[in-house]
Amino acid sequence: EVYDFVSQCEGFATIAWTAPQPRSLLRSVRLGFASHDAAVAAARDIAEESGLPLGAELVAAQARLLGGVLPPAMSHPEKIRSDVSLAARVARHLDALCGVSGAAPLDGELATAAQLDLLILYLRRVHYYCFYSAVWCSDEWELRRRCGDMVLRDSAEGPRAEGHWAAEHERRLEAFLASAPPPRPQVPNAVEDTSLVRQVGARIAHNTLRDGEGVFRCAECDQSFSDHDEVEEHFRRAHMSCIEALQRMAHAETAKASYAEQSRMRLVPP
C-alpha cells in the first residue's frame, strides 16, 4: 500500500525500508525524489491524502558528494579486464541469491572500462553492493554512509603493479563469492509441500464423520457421501477456504524464517 501510493507521487525515484528494531514491528520508510519541491509535495500528500499510518519527515539533501580515489594499479587495462570478470561473477552471485531474473548488464560493444562501470553501477543500484569495498548494504542510504557516493579510478601508466590494495580487493571479493548463501525460502504449496499436505490430510480426516456403513458426512456442511474419497474431493472443492487458511499459516512461518535469515545474508567473511 505504501509503495502503491508513493509511486504515483510526482518525481518519485526510490524507496527503501529499514529493518524493524528488536521486539518491534515499526520501521522507517525512506523515499527519494527527483527534486526538493517533489519531496515537499509528497510529504504533504502522505500526511493529508494517503490514509496510511505514516508520519512524513523531510530529510535535507546532502550538500556534497562523498567519494574516494583508487590507487593507479586499479586502472591498469589488465586489472580492469580482471575486474570485469569479477564484477560479473558478483552480480550473478547476488542475482541468484536474491532471485533476480535475467543476466547482469554486459555489452561487448562497450570499452572494457565502460563495461566495468556499468557492472559497478548495476551492483550499487540493484543490490546496494559496493564493488571496491566488497560491502553489501541493506539500502542506498547505508551504502552511501559506509561507502560514499562514488569511487574514482586514477590514470595508470607503465607496467602493471599489483600492490597490496589490489590484492586485498580481490581477496575480499573472492571471500564474498565463497560465502555460502542461506537457502532460499520455499513457498509452501498445498499439493507439493509434504508438511502442508499432511496438515491438509489431517484437517480433512478430522472433518469426515462416519454415520454407519457406507455413509460419510462432511462436518463442515453436513452433506453425506458414499465413501471417504468423495468427502475429500468435496472438501477440496467446496471448502477451499479451510485449506487456504492452513496455507496462509504456513506462509507466515516461512516469512518468519526468511526474515530471521536476512541479517545473516549480508554478512561477508573477514
Side-chain angles (χ1 to χ4, degrees):
E1 291 180 0
V2 174
Y3 175 79
D4 289 343
F5 181 84
V6 300
S7 62
Q8 302 302 314
C9 295
E10 184 176 353
F12 170 75
T14 61
I15 184 170
W17 281 264
T18 62
Q21 297 297 316
R23 296 181 297 279
S24 172
L25 295 178
L26 298 178
R27 59 172 62 186
S28 297
V29 182
R30 295 170 174 172
L31 307 172
F33 291 88
S35 67
H36 178 269
D37 290 343
V40 170
R44 182 184 63 248
D45 292 344
I46 290 171
E48 298 177 359
E49 301 179 16
S50 70
L52 298 170
L54 297 176
E57 179 181 352
L58 204 62
V59 179
Q62 296 291 335
R64 59 180 180 174
L65 297 177
L66 304 176
V69 179
L70 296 171
M74 300 298 293
S75 300
H76 194 279
E78 291 183 20
K79 176 59 177 169
I80 289 179
R81 282 194 292 272
S82 173
D83 280 350
V84 168
S85 176
L86 275 171
R89 288 173 58 200
V90 172
R92 288 193 296 268
H93 182 77
L94 288 170
D95 285 350
L97 185 59
C98 298
V100 177
S101 60
L106 272 176
D107 189 340
E109 296 182 1
L110 294 175
T112 308
Q115 292 184 45
L116 178 58
D117 291 339
L118 186 61
L119 285 165
I120 290 172
L121 182 63
Y122 176 82
L123 289 170
R124 287 186 68 96
R125 292 290 181 86
V126 176
H127 294 296
Y128 311 122
Y129 184 88
C130 177
F131 176 71
Y132 287 114
S133 300
V135 171
W136 191 12
C137 301
S138 59
D139 56 49
E140 61 188 281
W141 284 268
E142 182 188 357
L143 179 62
R144 186 182 192 277
R145 177 176 57 81
R146 297 180 64 183
C147 305
D149 296 290
M150 67 187 77
V151 177
L152 302 177
R153 289 192 298 270
D154 200 354
S155 60
E157 298 180 358
R160 177 182 179 182
E162 277 293 344
H164 174 73
W165 204 98
E168 184 64 17
H169 171 241
E170 291 190 9
R171 186 196 71 80
R172 290 195 300 269
L173 290 176
E174 292 293 351
F176 175 76
L177 289 167
S179 61
R184 290 188 56 76
Q186 299 296 316
V187 177
N189 183 288
V191 176
E192 300 172 357
D193 184 81
T194 305
S195 175
L196 188 54
V197 167
R198 286 199 298 268
Q199 293 181 51
V200 171
R203 179 70 175 84
I204 293 174
H206 179 74
N207 186 77
T208 303
L209 304 178
R210 187 163 186 172
D211 291 345
E213 189 67 28
V215 180
F216 296 84
R217 183 163 49 88
C218 172
E220 197 71 27
C221 63
D222 213 32
Q223 188 170 342
S224 297
F225 300 89
S226 60
D227 60 43
H228 182 278
D229 290 343
E230 287 186 3
V231 180
E232 179 174 351
E233 183 180 350
H234 157 78
F235 188 88
R236 291 182 180 275
R237 185 180 63 253
H239 305 300
M240 189 63 191
S241 60
C242 298
I243 296 177
E244 289 173 346
L246 292 173
Q247 195 161 8
R248 284 194 298 271
M249 292 174 61
H251 285 180
E253 291 300 320
T254 301
K256 288 180 182 178
S258 177
Y259 178 78
E261 290 287 347
Q262 283 186 354
S263 59
R264 188 166 68 86
M265 283 177 65
R266 298 184 182 275
L267 295 179
V268 179

